[in-house]
Amino acid sequence: TSHLTEKGRADLYLKKEKYIIQIWTTGEDPLIAELLQKGYQVIFSNYDALYLDCGVGSWVGKGVNWCSPYKGWQDIYDNDIHKIALNLTKTTAYNDQILGGEAAIWTEQADSANIDAKLWP
């Protein structure tokens, strides 16, 4: 998701036949329903479950990072993307547009010393 996919904008700039939208918001964002209802295919990387670098110290500044708390494997495995879509759209009609989920890890705080622990807790 980006400024191009903000509420009411995606179909102005992105043809649904050409673009797949990756969800980088929370699993409660109403934008997910809008994108599905407009016919876009989506990949979930909702940061409330699928960001592997959450819950550690901020790499710029003090305190924890913006997407804290830490996402344990239970949260990741319990992240039911079809259920998220159902809760937001009230129908299973869009399930074929959901291509899957992708866990994301940003490399500001990941390297060869800690990547295995983050990927395989």
Side-chain angles (χ1 to χ4, degrees), residues 4 9-21 38-41:
L4 290 173
R9 298 184 78 182
D11 53 343
L12 298 175
Y13 303 103
L14 306 170
K15 294 181 181 180
K16 64 183 176 187
E17 300 81 15
K18 186 174 180 179
Y19 291 93
I20 297 169
I21 309 296
K38 289 183 175 185
Y40 288 95
Q41 293 181 310

Coordinates of all heavy atoms in Angstrom, one line a residue, residues 4 9-21 38-41:
L4 N -0.7 5.9 -3.6 CA -1.5 5.5 -4.8 C -2.7 4.7 -4.4 O -3.7 4.7 -5.2 CB -0.6 4.7 -5.8 CG 0.4 5.5 -6.5 CD1 1.3 4.6 -7.4 CD2 -0.2 6.6 -7.4
R9 N -8.4 6.1 -4.3 CA -7.4 6.5 -5.3 C -6.9 5.4 -6.2 O -6.5 5.6 -7.3 CB -6.2 7.1 -4.6 CG -6.5 8.4 -3.9 CD -5.3 9.0 -3.3 NE -4.6 9.7 -4.3 CZ -3.5 10.4 -4.2 NH1 -2.9 10.4 -3.0 NH2 -2.9 11.0 -5.2
A10 N -6.9 4.2 -5.8 CA -6.3 3.1 -6.5 C -6.7 3.0 -7.9 O -5.9 2.9 -8.9 CB -6.5 1.7 -5.8
D11 N -8.0 3.0 -8.1 CA -8.6 2.8 -9.5 C -8.4 4.0 -10.4 O -8.6 4.0 -11.6 CB -10.0 2.3 -9.5 CG -10.9 3.2 -8.6 OD1 -10.4 4.0 -7.8 OD2 -12.1 3.1 -8.8
L12 N -7.9 5.1 -9.8 CA -7.6 6.3 -10.6 C -6.2 6.2 -11.3 O -6.0 6.8 -12.3 CB -7.6 7.6 -9.7 CG -8.9 8.0 -9.1 CD1 -8.7 9.2 -8.2 CD2 -10.0 8.2 -10.1
Y13 N -5.4 5.4 -10.6 CA -4.0 5.3 -11.1 C -3.5 3.9 -11.5 O -2.5 3.8 -12.2 CB -3.0 5.8 -10.0 CG -3.4 7.3 -9.6 CD1 -4.0 7.5 -8.4 CD2 -3.0 8.3 -10.4 CE1 -4.3 8.8 -8.1 CE2 -3.3 9.6 -10.1 CZ -4.0 9.9 -8.9 OH -4.3 11.2 -8.5
L14 N -4.1 2.9 -11.0 CA -3.7 1.5 -11.1 C -4.7 0.6 -11.7 O -5.8 0.4 -11.1 CB -3.2 1.0 -9.8 CG -2.2 1.8 -9.0 CD1 -2.0 1.3 -7.6 CD2 -0.9 1.8 -9.7
K15 N -4.5 0.0 -12.9 CA -5.4 -0.9 -13.5 C -5.4 -2.2 -12.7 O -4.3 -2.8 -12.5 CB -5.0 -1.1 -14.9 CG -5.2 0.1 -15.8 CD -4.8 -0.2 -17.2 CE -4.9 1.0 -18.1 NZ -4.6 0.8 -19.5
K16 N -6.6 -2.6 -12.3 CA -6.7 -3.9 -11.5 C -6.2 -5.1 -12.3 O -5.7 -6.1 -11.7 CB -8.1 -4.1 -11.0 CG -9.1 -4.3 -12.1 CD -10.5 -4.5 -11.5 CE -11.5 -4.6 -12.6 NZ -12.8 -4.6 -12.1
E17 N -6.2 -5.1 -13.6 CA -5.7 -6.2 -14.4 C -4.2 -6.2 -14.5 O -3.6 -7.3 -14.8 CB -6.3 -6.1 -15.8 CG -7.8 -6.1 -15.9 CD -8.4 -4.7 -15.7 OE1 -7.7 -3.7 -15.7 OE2 -9.6 -4.7 -15.4
K18 N -3.6 -5.2 -14.1 CA -2.1 -5.1 -14.3 C -1.4 -5.1 -12.9 O -0.2 -5.5 -12.9 CB -1.8 -3.8 -15.0 CG -0.3 -3.6 -15.4 CD -0.1 -2.4 -16.2 CE 1.4 -2.3 -16.5 NZ 1.7 -1.2 -17.4
Y19 N -2.0 -4.6 -11.9 CA -1.3 -4.4 -10.6 C -1.8 -5.3 -9.5 O -3.0 -5.5 -9.4 CB -1.4 -3.0 -10.1 CG -0.6 -2.0 -11.0 CD1 -1.2 -1.4 -12.1 CD2 0.7 -1.8 -10.7 CE1 -0.5 -0.5 -12.9 CE2 1.5 -1.0 -11.5 CZ 0.9 -0.3 -12.6 OH 1.6 0.5 -13.4
I20 N -0.9 -5.8 -8.7 CA -1.2 -6.6 -7.5 C -0.8 -5.7 -6.3 O 0.3 -5.1 -6.3 CB -0.5 -7.9 -7.4 CG1 -0.9 -8.8 -8.6 CG2 -0.7 -8.6 -6.0 CD1 0.0 -10.0 -8.7
I21 N -1.7 -5.5 -5.3 CA -1.4 -4.6 -4.2 C -1.0 -5.4 -3.0 O -1.6 -6.4 -2.6 CB -2.7 -3.8 -3.8 CG1 -3.3 -3.1 -5.0 CG2 -2.4 -2.8 -2.7 CD1 -2.5 -2.1 -5.7
K38 N -13.0 -3.4 -5.3 CA -12.7 -2.8 -6.6 C -12.0 -3.8 -7.6 O -11.7 -3.5 -8.7 CB -11.7 -1.6 -6.5 CG -12.5 -0.4 -5.8 CD -11.6 0.8 -5.7 CE -12.4 1.9 -5.2 NZ -11.7 3.2 -5.2
G39 N -11.8 -5.1 -7.1 CA -11.3 -6.1 -8.0 C -9.8 -6.4 -8.0 O -9.3 -7.1 -8.8
Y40 N -9.1 -5.7 -7.1 CA -7.6 -5.9 -7.0 C -7.3 -7.2 -6.4 O -7.9 -7.7 -5.4 CB -6.9 -4.8 -6.2 CG -6.9 -3.5 -7.0 CD1 -7.9 -2.6 -6.8 CD2 -6.0 -3.2 -7.9 CE1 -8.0 -1.4 -7.5 CE2 -6.0 -2.0 -8.6 CZ -7.0 -1.1 -8.4 OH -7.0 0.1 -9.1
Q41 N -6.2 -7.8 -6.9 CA -5.6 -9.0 -6.2 C -4.7 -8.4 -5.1 O -4.0 -7.4 -5.4 CB -4.8 -9.8 -7.2 CG -5.7 -10.5 -8.2 CD -4.9 -11.4 -9.1 OE1 -3.9 -11.0 -9.7 NE2 -5.3 -12.6 -9.3

